[in-house]
Amino acid sequence: MWLKPEEILLKNAFKLWVTEKDNEYFVLQRRRGYGEGGGGLTGNQIESGTLGLYLLCLTGLLVGTLDTVLDSTSKVAPYRILHHTPDSQVYWSIACGVTKEEIDQHWDWLQQNIMRTLSVFDSTEDITSFVQGKIRGLIAEEGKTSLVLEDDPEKFREALLRFEKWFELPAQEKLVTYYSCSYWRGKVPCQGWLYLSTNFLCFYSYLLGSEVKLIVSWDEIWRLEKTSNVILTESIHVLAHGEDHYFSMLLHLNETFVIMEQLANYSIKRLFDKEAFQGEPALSDPLQITKRGLEAHAKSDQFRAFFRLPKEENLLEVHESFLWVPFSHFNTLGKICLSENYLCFASQDGSQCHIVIPMREVINVEKSDSGSRALTVCVRGKRALRFSEVRDYQRLANTIRSRCGISASPQHSASSETDVRRVFTAKAIRGECQSLINHFEDNPEDVTLMVGQKDTSKAVSTEALMTVFHPQDVENLDPKMLKEKMKEQSWNIHFSEYGRGTSMFFTKKTRDLIVRGVPESLRGELWMLFSGAVNDMATHPGYYTELVEQSLGTSTLATDEIERDLHRSLPEHPAFQSDTGISALRRVLTAYAYRNPKIGYCQAMNILTSVLLLYAKEEEAFWLLVAVCERMLPDYFNRRIIGALVDQAVFEDLIRENLPQLVEHMTDLSFFSSVSLSWFLTLFISVLPIESAVNVVDCFFYDGIKAILQLGLAVLDYNMEALIACNDDAEAVTILNRFFDSVTNKDSPLPPTVQQASVGNNDKASHVSVDISELIREAYEKYGHFRSEEVESSRKKNKLYVIQTLEDTTKQNVIRVVSQDVRFTASQLDELYNLFKRQHFLSCYWTMKSPALLHHDPSLAYLEQYQLGFQQFSELFSLLEPWAFCASKSTLSLWVFRLIDENQDGLVNFKEFCYALGTFAGFLRSSRGTSFLLAAACTIKDFISTDTLYGASFTNKLKFLFKLHLPPVLSQTVSLAFTGSPLHIKEQRVQQFLPTIEDSSHLTRLAAFDLPEDGVIRKSPERGRGKVDLQAYLKQWQNEILKKEETIKDLPRINQAQFIQFSKTLYNIFHGDPEEESLYRAVAHVTSLLLRMEEVGRRLQEPSSPPAEATQPASTAASTQEASFKETSDASSSHSSQEGAAERPDPDWSFSFEQVLASLLNEPTIVGFFERHVHIQTKLGQARVAQLKLKANK
């Protein structure tokens, strides 16, 4: 065990200890009297006079005797490891062991993990300090179990307090676990603690007066992988923000890496894919994430993937046992895996055999004698499975019975259950028949449906299209048909030995039969079985028919795309030259788009579904499509085809490992990514002849994506020499296309018309044909060594990089679009985008009910993918605006938000945000000649002047503030509804608009948005999928181009209610400024001057003497008004209307912008304030630092 480092003296130590191993920094010693062959001396030793040796042996006997006599608390461990430095006489004890094996493990760990590291230190003090810190970390690590949260809450609470103190994250952030490790800064390691929370990876170290603190959010990570190099034997590499971070010397490195991988994957699914984890309590709430929950979720994922089970299933219990394998006549060791509805078994290596037993198929569970600890599970079809050596076999038997609804008396229950089932079935059939008779008597027109005379677009097909358009001729005895019959016979023999249907054994022999080819008549059945779709269909009777009825007749973007692609799906195949095949394809694709709107419809789905319909019934084809899109090829068929891109990255890694010659010639493997995209999306259907492609689909349904990767490697290997000799990519593409056209299926019984249906080039005479069965067999022999688990691990590693690459591409596209209308530099826009995106994620970190998550629409363009609600906009806007106004008293951000939120859905995108910020910063380009296809952009450009530079134009900034107080930004209803002071009215308006709960409650509180009764915000046509009137946009664009340049004379006058709010806004902008008092006096002076001017103008226009109240001196009125403004600007927390009567404005009073501008220009203090230069880059840097702290403070 590791010991707390303690200093010892070795002056007399060698009399008690013997050095077994040593190096420059460590010594392994054995205590005398242990590990020696005995204490006696031989005659030769005595004769030779080896007195010293005799004394040493005697010492060993004495030491051993002393240690034996002492009680257990005083005994000394017989082995120990000491640390020292070459130029020091001080030794430190760091480890001890009872056995040689134990101490050797510690020694080997030091050799592998510490020795290479110590060479980078310059001083011996640093070496000793590092070793001591590392050993203390290891001790703490040993004391912390893998389930520290549940098993040792006191230690976890201490770690949580340190986590909160050191990193100052928001209180909602959930710490998952922590580890002792070393973090590398350059070539020097820092010993400290690694903290893994729901949203962040954090590290803290404080050694020798140097503090190291690191905070990285999971959504910023590009790479997460285990690595090793010359200095670090094994470490975890994290790439984020272009910086490499290495964490090493972890006591449980694999466990740490798995947790980090799970947290990163959880973050990606939640933030990028907007997954809500419904039905998964362990992950549905980010505030309740635990290490145990993550581990359970990961195990359930592996369980579902291996046994091809529905996503609703979770791994509940695992039991080690033996299963009697009848075809091999022996017991095989493996594990029983139990979920809600399935009993599964897999042999120890997973490849020898595995079986899936649905609980619905179990009819009885029998327990044998307690000596063998065995139980027998009886399933339908007169089959039984015997499990033995099950440690808790009684509880397992009871669990299976309870889930199957079987009573504890098996002999009686089986017969009684059968009788009850028979009676129930008979009654059900009689009732069903009577209801049908009554229905057809009342609706005689529906009788035609029973004979197939109704519209084929609504009637679900009950036959595979290949059966209809190419029925097998039983009397045909040509060689191909004879070989087909032999295949069928081989499978029938296999079924008799290994079972048939849902409880069939999956073995190596099954794979061998798959590689040789599946008979045409069994293809649909085996596809359903291997994919797990048979279980989906069995547990959802009538589901597909309901979907067809609900989806047909709907009109969406998905249905439009489906109609466009219907006649492009295997167009030369006879089945899709008729209305029967086209209608079936339409129904399946439309039903799936209706079922899963997140995917909807994606190109390549039509090609895959066409092949499924050839060999499976229509409902079976639908469930096969569900299995492919939602389980076997996750994230393939969506807008960004992330899954296909990830598998292409996996494919590139496999090329580097298995085809080094090709890599040497073609260092840039991106070519293979582009050319292989269709291979993955269509499972080679789009590049191979149809009769050959179905053999690939056979392998895919059995082995998953591993079969596609293997075949891809075999294709490149087969064409290796030709590809190496290529001069450019075009030539390589031609070689591969010719190869695919030459692939044949010599055993296919299909007629030539069908075989030629999917071949793009019929010129095969000049190419040697390649049989698909031989190609697949070669792929399995050469490249079948890697396991599905390795593929999944590589998928996880590459998914981070693929998603971040796509995100970076999206950012560049957004910046390119936005840069056309603003004057921010590319680097400034990059910083702004990162801040905007992070603010979006901050709204999603600690809740699943954020508006950005609830109303996410994946069909929107990349400009709309990240949006901010008002609360998030206000927080970010307050960090970036040039004026540090008093946020508690100002509604400036509210008005800006209303201005840019054109469709009033409560969300703004990055382009709209840049317009708002560019207005303040003067960073908008001239409106002349600019496209106005975005309504929001058009609106904001109607309200602001766009030809100023940052801090250079007082007039334009004032004009913008002036416009903010005109309708519709400052609604006319506000002006007319004044019943109290301006402050009271403002606060009343803010209460309508501002959210009381930080994240999502404002969606139900924003009265200004006029939400529908259900509270759900509907997207406007401009931002959703609806039709857009392009002609109206073009006319609007033309009007904007021809519109004359706006002048200050074109601005409307501002009434007194709006002027009061305008003046109060100025007070708020000046709040906290060093010259605050001077600015306040200047505004008061301008206000007084304007009121006097207005009063003089009114007097000149009045024909008779004014009323008594209007004859008071102008100075007195101005003084009252000035005091009123000052009072409203200082009373930040007052909501009363006590001064309302005195300040109620006369509706006839108004001011022009020229009057306001002329008055303010006479105040140098105000002009200097607005023309003061504020560096935008400084603002961005400050915002980047303060963004997370602002959230934590809130």
Side-chain angles (χ1 to χ4, degrees), residues 449 452 454-462 548 552 583-584 587 618:
L449 178 62
K454 204 166 184 179
D455 184 6
T456 57
S457 65
K458 297 181 181 179
V460 175
S461 174
T462 58
V548 170
L552 283 181
S583 298
R587 287 191 295 268
E618 186 175 321

Side-chain angles (χ1 to χ4, degrees), residues 537-570:
M537 192 171 75
T539 54
H540 296 82
Y543 176 79
Y544 174 67
T545 305
E546 293 177 4
L547 275 185
V548 170
E549 294 174 355
Q550 296 170 5
S551 62
L552 283 181
T554 59
S555 178
T556 62
L557 180 62
T559 57
D560 293 343
E561 293 176 346
I562 290 171
E563 291 296 328
R564 182 189 62 200
D565 289 345
L566 282 176
H567 295 279
R568 304 177 186 176
S569 310
L570 304 184

Side-chain angles (χ1 to χ4, degrees), residues 173-368:
E173 184 62 17
K174 178 71 168 60
L175 177 63
V176 176
T177 187
Y178 61 99
Y179 298 94
S180 171
C181 72
S182 292
Y183 168 62
W184 289 76
R185 301 184 68 187
K187 295 183 179 180
V188 179
C190 304
Q191 179 63 32
W193 290 91
L194 177 67
Y195 293 87
L196 307 180
S197 65
T198 306
N199 301 293
F200 299 96
L201 178 155
C202 306
F203 176 84
Y204 184 86
S205 173
Y206 187 83
L207 288 175
L208 303 176
S210 175
E211 183 182 52
V212 178
K213 186 185 297 186
L214 175 70
I215 302 176
V216 178
S217 58
W218 296 113
D219 54 84
E220 298 170 337
I221 293 178
W222 285 63
R223 288 278 188 191
L224 178 61
E225 57 191 349
K226 289 189 289 187
T227 61
S228 60
N229 53 41
V230 176
I231 297 178
L232 302 176
T233 54
E234 200 170 18
S235 62
I236 297 176
H237 172 220
V238 176
L239 174 62
H241 296 299
E243 298 180 0
D244 293 298
H245 307 279
Y246 291 91
F247 302 92
S248 66
M249 301 184 197
L250 287 143
L251 193 61
H252 304 291
L253 187 137
N254 289 331
E255 175 189 303
T256 308
F257 178 76
V258 169
I259 294 294
M260 293 171 70
E261 197 175 52
Q262 291 168 355
L263 285 170
N265 188 54
Y266 174 68
S267 178
I268 283 177
K269 287 184 177 180
R270 192 163 60 89
L271 301 177
F272 291 99
D273 300 340
K274 304 299 187 290
E275 188 171 328
F277 295 96
Q278 296 178 353
E280 297 185 58
L283 300 181
S284 58
D285 186 358
L287 302 182
Q288 302 298 327
I289 298 297
T290 63
K291 180 180 176 182
R292 178 174 292 175
L294 289 170
E295 290 174 343
H297 176 74
K299 290 179 180 177
S300 294
D301 274 347
Q302 295 174 358
F303 167 69
R304 288 189 293 264
F306 184 83
F307 293 107
R308 306 284 170 80
L309 297 179
K311 60 182 179 181
E312 296 82 13
E313 299 299 314
N314 295 292
L315 181 61
L316 303 178
E317 298 179 19
V318 178
H319 301 267
E320 192 172 87
S321 73
F322 287 90
L323 171 64
W324 173 253
V325 184
F327 50 85
S328 299
H329 304 290
F330 70 89
N331 285 312
T332 181
L333 177 63
K335 292 183 179 179
I336 300 173
C337 301
L338 196 68
S339 70
E340 291 85 350
N341 299 294
Y342 295 90
L343 173 68
C344 306
F345 177 87
S347 58
Q348 198 165 23
D349 59 356
S351 60
Q352 185 174 357
C353 74
H354 70 271
I355 187 171
V356 178
I357 308 170
M359 293 294 188
R360 63 180 184 274
E361 298 290 328
V362 178
I363 60 176
N364 196 9
V365 180
E366 299 176 355
K367 292 186 293 185
S368 301

